Amino acid sequence: MTTTDQEGFSAAEKAAMKERAAEVRAPKKRMTKAEKAAQARKDVEEKIASYTGSDKEIAQRLHHIITTTAPQLEPKTWYGMPAYALDGQILCFIQDAAKFGARYLTLGFNDAAQLDHGMLWPTAYAITALDDQLEAQVIALVGKAVGN
């Protein structure tokens, strides 16, 4: 935790909570399901476009990989991050390095992802670059996460 008093939430954590609250309170306009999905995808793409440096390039590639590997996932923002839901539950998300002052972008998976392996398995992956080999690994992870 990066706070000055070690008791509360950091400024970045507070900002993420405010972003989530805004997502939940977003005006529920009269939209069709398709219009809502298109707006959510646009929100995700705008969030990725706001990233800087290599995080932007990596996030764009991850977004493409996720949406083509698992088209059943619904892009949406979650705590101000690009995320992908399956049956209404966030399955995975992309967290840029700037979000919480990290050294690297992270591809994270929630417990809805079917990545279980034995008694210990990773749920988040630091990504500093994406080559063809790593892209293949991400495709396999996303496929496994959705049960393919």
Side-chain angles (χ1 to χ4, degrees), residues 123-141:
T123 58
Y125 298 83
I127 303 176
T128 58
L130 260 179
D131 59 17
D132 292 341
Q133 182 181 2
L134 290 178
E135 189 170 312
Q137 288 177 326
V138 171
I139 290 168
L141 268 174

Side-chain angles (χ1 to χ4, degrees), residues 103-124:
R103 294 183 297 134
Y104 40 74
L105 175 139
T106 304
L107 173 61
F109 292 88
N110 285 340
D111 59 348
Q114 298 179 32
L115 298 177
D116 306 37
H117 182 74
M119 295 182 351
L120 176 72
W121 61 90
T123 58

Side-chain angles (χ1 to χ4, degrees), residues 1-126:
M1 188 179 328
T2 56
T3 62
T4 54
D5 62 5
Q6 299 298 318
E7 292 293 325
F9 294 104
S10 70
E13 290 166 331
K14 288 177 185 176
M17 287 186 282
K18 286 180 182 178
E19 286 178 301
R20 180 66 185 137
E23 292 162 3
V24 171
R25 286 191 317 261
K28 306 294 186 219
K29 297 178 185 175
R30 290 184 171 215
M31 291 186 192
T32 65
K33 187 175 180 179
E35 290 170 331
K36 288 178 184 176
Q39 182 61 51
R41 180 179 288 269
K42 180 181 177 218
D43 292 345
V44 165
E45 291 170 353
E46 286 176 355
K47 180 55 75 173
I48 291 170
S50 75
Y51 291 0
T52 60
S54 63
D55 281 4
K56 182 176 184 175
E57 178 186 331
I58 293 168
Q60 288 169 332
R61 287 183 69 190
L62 288 172
H63 175 70
H64 176 76
I65 291 167
I66 293 166
T67 57
T68 56
T69 302
Q72 68 270 43
L73 294 179
E74 303 168 30
K76 57 175 53 181
T77 56
W78 181 66
Y79 291 94
M81 297 177 286
Y84 305 86
L86 181 64
D87 299 327
Q89 290 188 311
I90 300 299
L91 184 91
C92 62
F93 58 92
I94 302 168
Q95 179 182 300
D96 69 318
K99 184 73 174 174
F100 296 112
R103 294 183 297 134
Y104 40 74
L105 175 139
T106 304
L107 173 61
F109 292 88
N110 285 340
D111 59 348
Q114 298 179 32
L115 298 177
D116 306 37
H117 182 74
M119 295 182 351
L120 176 72
W121 61 90
T123 58
Y125 298 83

